[in-house]
Amino acid sequence: MRVSCERMGGFAGITRKKTVDTANLSQEKAKQLPRLVEAANFFNLPSQITASPTQRDRFQYKLTVEDNGKEHTVTVGEMALPGTLRPLIEWLEQG
């Protein structure tokens, strides 16, 4: 499984991108990542999740998950972030 997370926006407008591949992780972390993706119900999320009205200086996340020939990308605004997706983003930002 490979997960890419791009965080854009914020007050400074800086973009950060990180890609994690389970093949390059410790055994423990390689088990955590698929669980987080599954708990987020990632492959069933819409490709665009936004809040209304959008707010300036908030982050926007673009996540792409590739797993067993499947690929799905979700772009989500910080204010519209589903609670199920938050643990995955936090895990990616910490690791």
Side-chain angles (χ1 to χ4, degrees):
M1 175 178 284
R2 191 167 121 154
V3 179
S4 297
C5 179
E6 187 174 357
R7 186 183 79 182
M8 303 156 282
F11 181 70
I14 297 172
T15 298
R16 289 184 13 197
K17 186 172 183 176
K18 181 175 188 173
T19 300
V20 178
D21 191 325
T22 53
N24 301 325
L25 295 174
S26 69
Q27 189 174 11
E28 181 183 329
K29 288 193 176 222
K31 288 180 182 178
Q32 291 173 349
L33 186 57
R35 287 187 203 136
L36 290 166
V37 170
E38 186 177 331
N41 198 20
F42 189 82
F43 284 97
N44 291 317
L45 292 173
S47 60
Q48 188 81 20
I49 305 171
T50 57
S52 183
T54 57
Q55 295 181 338
R56 296 172 51 102
D57 300 330
R58 294 290 184 172
F59 291 120
Q60 184 169 342
Y61 299 92
K62 182 178 180 181
L63 293 115
T64 301
V65 175
E66 302 168 49
D67 187 35
N68 293 323
K70 294 188 301 185
E71 183 176 321
H72 184 56
T73 300
V74 173
T75 303
V76 59
E78 181 180 16
M79 295 304 293
L81 192 62
T84 58
L85 194 53
R86 188 174 303 278
L88 175 60
I89 290 176
E90 289 174 353
W91 188 90
L92 290 166
E93 289 184 330
Q94 291 172 4

